[in-house]
Amino acid sequence: MLTRTDAKARGLADLPPVMNDSLIALIGMVNADPRPDKIDVGVGVFRDGAGNTPILKVIKEAEQRLHDTQVTKAYLGSAGDKRFAELLRPILLGKHADDDRIAGVQTPGGCGALRLGFELLAAANPQARVFVGAPTWPNHPPIIRAVGLSEVEYPYYERGQGAIRFEDMIDALRSGEPGDIALLHGCCHNPTGADLDEEQWRGVRDVVVERGLVPFVDIAYQGFGRGLDEDAYGVRLMLDSCDEMIIAQSCDKNFSVYRDRVGSLWIKTPSPDATATAMGHVFQIAREMWSMPPDHGAASARIVLDDPELRERWLVELTGMRDRINSVRRRIAAADPRLAFIGRQFGMFSMLPLSKEQVLMLRSEHAIYMAESGRFNVVGMSDGQIDRFTAAVIEAMDA
Ligand SMILES: Cc1ncc(COP(=O)(O)O)c(C=O)c1O
């Protein structure tokens, strides 16, 4: 017979409310706004001149081929699509592609790669501290906390100046101890758009080597800044000089397959044997978290990369996305000297010199939605919305 106890255990009903991820909350606000001319520059997806996020033509074609030829959906294993990782290897690693101390694995998006990479680092060295730029992508700190590693902030960007705080960044990294981790954005910095130039990358590399830090490069927008090779400069420079390194990569943007969750994790250790052992941990951790990554998106990207004609057309579509980003940047930059810095930055995001009140005013009076920090997606708006957007931003800056 069942008996009830009066002792009160903590349960699901005791959970405190979650502080909503502000970018996710913003999506809800945009959807709830009935004004037909609303502008959503909050969400981080590429939009074309008509304001749509179309499926790339090469992906549509690859999906059709996948549909026609796939004969089973049996498990692939924790490594996912191995050919996908093999094809990605030279695109990301360049001249380091033949280095057998580097191994890569398919992950559920860049987020999956970040989590897996930090889990691995925490397993290897729970005392390691992670140096994180201020500001950074808002999902970095919770992922780092979730694996139990502690964070140290390094100054990265001065909003008023539209400039990188390079000296302060270097000073902060100099306080790192051997084994500490330096989290760096490979290109198209989110949220600021302010990328290290080549000389600055070399300065960061020097301090990373000098202090024995482990570089962890998050590269989610390769091809959206200057070009595939140019955007991988920092990744490859660190590989030139570091024996241990982690790279979290996302294909969700450059193949425009956001919801299909396509990414990869890359690790480098001092020897092929140590890399093989570390990869054993990677597969075990992946097995505990998601068992194996979703197949469809990576299989589609693999079909594109494996076919010279589709690959060539992907490069054309990728260049088209990059060109739009850079041409919208130029248009906004030309509208007011205070916005000129936007023309010198890269990728989908920049931060406007606006206070929280000014951002809220843009929402209420102009139906323009961006993060409270002033971060906005330069290609969140259609071509027809750019003039209204810049006029409203100038009005807000003057208010
Ligand atoms: C800097 C950065 N890293 C990682 C990611 C994660 O990408 P994914 O959607 O592939 O998980 C994003 C996505 O917004 C990002 O901006």
Side-chain angles (χ1 to χ4, degrees):
M1 198 179 110
L2 287 174
T3 55
R4 251 179 188 282
T5 167
D6 288 336
K8 179 89 179 73
R10 282 182 65 85
L12 298 180
D14 298 304
L15 285 166
V18 167
M19 291 298 288
N20 226 332
D21 180 326
S22 54
L23 291 173
I24 301 286
L26 196 63
I27 296 173
M29 278 184 242
V30 176
N31 290 341
D33 189 329
R35 288 173 285 185
D37 58 348
K38 61 191 171 188
I39 296 178
D40 172 15
V41 286
V43 73
V45 295
F46 175 88
R47 293 199 177 108
D48 63 15
N52 301 316
T53 304
I55 300 172
L56 298 187
K57 292 190 183 69
V58 287
I59 287 291
K60 265 286 181 214
E61 211 167 305
E63 286 180 314
Q64 188 59 54
R65 286 193 203 172
L66 188 60
H67 178 80
D68 293 343
T69 56
Q70 194 171 50
V71 290
T72 179
K73 289 198 183 280
Y75 292 125
L76 271 182
S78 290
D81 190 320
K82 290 184 183 160
R83 179 79 182 139
F84 159 77
E86 216 172 279
L87 289 161
L88 209 53
R89 199 174 166 97
I91 296 173
L92 180 66
L93 307 180
K95 67 177 194 286
H96 297 277
D98 294 332
D99 188 336
D100 58 4
R101 295 167 300 169
I102 306 173
V105 64
Q106 187 205 329
T107 56
C111 277
L114 284 164
R115 180 63 187 258
L116 188 53
F118 279 118
E119 290 281 358
L120 182 71
L121 288 166
N125 179 8
Q127 310 310 326
R129 300 173 301 163
V130 187
F131 282 72
V132 184
T136 192
W137 182 49
N139 212 17
H140 282 150
I143 291 176
I144 293 162
R145 285 196 288 270
V147 306
L149 291 176
S150 59
E151 282 168 74
V152 182
E153 262 188 16
Y154 63 80
Y156 186 73
Y157 186 70
E158 185 59 56
R159 206 149 73 114
Q161 316 289 319
I164 293 177
R165 292 176 61 182
F166 186 67
E167 295 306 323
D168 296 336
M169 172 184 183
I170 292 291
D171 281 350
L173 290 177
R174 276 213 180 96
S175 73
E177 298 292 335
D180 284 343
I181 299 150
L183 178 60
L184 303 161
H185 292 234
C187 65
C188 306
H189 188 274
N190 182 4
T192 69
D195 283 353
L196 296 170
D197 63 27
E198 294 190 359
E199 195 185 331
Q200 289 171 326
W201 269 112
R202 289 193 289 274
V204 174
R205 185 265 320 267
D206 290 348
V207 70
V208 160
V209 170
E210 188 186 299
R211 298 302 307 150
L213 309 180
V214 179
F216 188 137
V217 181
D218 179 8
I219 179 157
Y221 302 93
Q222 192 185 358
F224 271 22
R226 299 165 218 233
L228 281 173
D229 285 326
E230 294 85 342
D231 291 349
Y233 178 83
V235 162
R236 297 174 190 175
L237 182 78
M238 290 292 164
L239 286 170
D240 286 341
S241 309
C242 300
D243 276 344
E244 288 205 5
M245 178 165 171
I246 301 271
I247 307 160
Q249 184 272 352
S250 174
C251 285
D252 286 327
K253 335 282 167 164
N254 55 15
F255 282 86
S256 204
V257 288
Y258 306 84
R259 66 175 67 167
D260 286 342
R261 317 300 305 129
V262 187
S264 60
L265 173 74
W266 299 83
I267 62 169
K268 179 180 180 189
T269 80
S271 74
D273 282 350
T275 296
T277 304
M279 284 307 281
H281 287 268
V282 164
F283 294 133
Q284 178 57 33
I285 298 166
R287 179 91 176 115
E288 290 160 19
M289 289 197 293
W290 50 72
S291 186
M292 52 200 73
D295 179 60
H296 180 85
S300 307
R302 183 245 303 150
I303 290 171
V304 170
L305 294 177
D306 226 353
D307 177 305
E309 195 247 335
L310 285 184
R311 176 193 278 254
E312 207 42 53
R313 283 170 46 206
W314 169 60
L315 293 176
V316 172
E317 290 195 80
L318 178 60
T319 304
M321 291 194 279
R322 178 170 67 248
D323 286 350
R324 169 153 212 267
I325 292 169
N326 291 329
S327 81
V328 176
R329 282 191 172 279
R330 282 193 296 274
R331 261 181 82 176
I332 297 172
D336 188 286
R338 289 168 293 179
L339 300 177
F341 70 95
I342 291 171
R344 298 189 291 271
Q345 297 181 335
F346 293 97
M348 290 204 290
F349 306 106
S350 279
M351 281 173 109
L352 290 165
L354 296 174
S355 65
K356 180 178 165 189
E357 290 67 37
Q358 289 167 320
V359 168
L360 296 182
M361 186 276 269
L362 285 172
R363 281 186 205 166
S364 58
E365 291 183 22
H366 297 279
I368 294 175
Y369 287 85
M370 70 184 70
E372 281 178 10
S373 63
R375 185 201 86 153
F376 79 110
N377 174 3
V378 300
V379 287
M381 63 198 114
S382 67
D383 285 343
Q385 290 174 323
I386 297 175
D387 290 341
R388 188 166 80 76
F389 173 82
T390 46
V393 167
I394 291 166
E395 184 192 314
M397 287 193 301
D398 290 339

